[in-house]
Amino acid sequence: MSMGKVYLVGAGPGDPELLTVKAVRAIAAADVVVYDRLVPDGILATIGDGVARINVGKRAGSHPVPQREINDIIVKLGRAGRTVVRLKGGDPFIFGRGSEEAAELAAAGIPYEVIPGITAAQGCAAAARVPLTHRGLATGVRYVTGHRKADEPLDLDWDSLADPETTLVVYMGLANVEEITRNLMARGLPGSLPVLAVCQGTTAQERRICTRLDALAAVTREAAFTGPVLFIIGRVAGLALQRSEQNHEIDVGAISVVA
């Protein structure tokens, strides 16, 4: 039996129209799609009839299919001669463990290809019309994860992250929002620094809140977000607040809620 091939495909931030042309072609050619929880129904609907689907979704505190088992699934399918799309939210190599899967495929001698996706930071910022870098506001951008396995404490380099010249994008940080804001302010970021919180970005269910760093924990608790949440921390986030005020959206003090 000839060897198959595995495509590690980024599904983008949620909007099916933000899939790349290459991703669409790979999905159309697949025999099997192995997909994550963050891949929305609108993108799953692009999978053809007769294509096998394997749901390996996991969330914080719930891992019904451990990563080692996911690795085994895609290796076995590749050895069986199947054309496999491993469909992952955002970009497969940004907090998606795609590099771990690539290493397993390489070690097993399975041909594979990586198809990048628009990551949540880019998609959510663009949907809110907020630049991640902007002359005079931010000279750089950093992506960090706000979650550790088994609920371990965050071991981030807080001193370097607390840079007012840099936009900080925090993935999966909702559960640790108090720890994140406390550490950043302790290292010198002002409590008045703007933050944009985006839940289920680029989808029909998207919700956004623009607030201050020192109010972020309280505001997100009150919002009772469901689904993945991204924090964009920095002066560029203030542009979202300015635009919401210009558009006369719901304002409560320094908080703007966009349904």
Side-chain angles (χ1 to χ4, degrees):
M1 182 178 296
S2 61
M3 192 73 74
K5 185 172 181 177
V6 177
Y7 294 87
L8 303 174
V9 177
D15 182 349
E17 293 188 345
L18 292 178
L19 281 168
T20 66
V21 173
K22 196 167 188 177
V24 171
R25 288 175 178 164
I27 293 169
D31 300 320
V32 184
V33 175
V34 180
Y35 64 95
D36 279 346
R37 177 181 66 91
L38 294 181
V39 179
D41 291 341
I43 291 178
L44 295 178
T46 67
I47 301 172
D49 295 337
V51 178
R53 303 184 186 194
I54 301 176
N55 182 353
V56 294
K58 53 183 179 291
R59 66 187 70 193
S62 176
H63 302 272
V65 185
Q67 186 61 48
R68 64 180 179 277
E69 188 173 333
I70 296 173
N71 297 344
D72 289 343
I73 288 170
I74 59 177
V75 166
K76 289 176 181 177
L77 289 169
R79 282 179 174 156
R82 311 299 289 274
T83 299
V84 182
V85 163
R86 174 68 175 106
L87 195 57
K88 308 171 78 67
D91 181 275
F93 277 12
I94 297 182
F95 304 127
R97 304 187 75 169
S99 56
E100 297 175 35
E101 295 169 2
E104 291 289 332
L105 292 165
I110 309 294
Y112 73 92
E113 183 176 342
V114 180
I115 299 179
I118 296 174
T119 190
Q122 298 166 307
C124 292
R129 294 174 293 169
V130 170
L132 293 175
T133 61
H134 185 85
R135 185 167 55 181
L137 295 179
T139 58
V141 59
R142 293 183 67 176
Y143 300 166
V144 298
T145 176
H147 176 72
R148 285 286 186 266
K149 64 180 182 180
D151 296 322
E152 295 175 359
L154 297 178
D155 57 352
L156 302 175
D157 184 354
W158 298 107
D159 289 318
S160 69
L161 293 178
D163 177 7
E165 301 299 321
T166 299
T167 302
L168 180 62
V169 182
V170 183
Y171 287 68
M172 302 170 287
L174 185 60
N176 293 316
V177 62
E178 289 91 351
E179 182 181 356
I180 292 165
T181 55
R182 181 177 65 251
N183 277 292
L184 290 174
M185 288 189 292
R187 268 60 169 201
L189 284 187
S192 59
L193 191 68
V195 182
L196 179 65
V198 185
C199 179
Q200 300 191 62
T202 78
T203 71
Q205 294 75 40
E206 176 175 317
R207 294 178 63 204
R208 304 180 202 139
I209 293 178
C210 191
T211 184
R212 298 162 45 114
L213 184 62
D214 58 8
L216 182 62
V219 167
T220 52
R221 278 197 303 271
E222 183 178 352
F225 283 142
T226 58
V229 177
L230 186 89
F231 299 140
I232 300 175
I233 303 172
R235 293 188 294 227
V236 295
L239 297 175
L241 182 57
Q242 292 175 17
R243 287 173 180 144
S244 67
E245 290 171 342
Q246 291 167 0
N247 293 332
H248 305 290
E249 291 165 352
I250 302 169
D251 288 321
V252 182
I255 302 167
S256 175
V257 180
V258 183

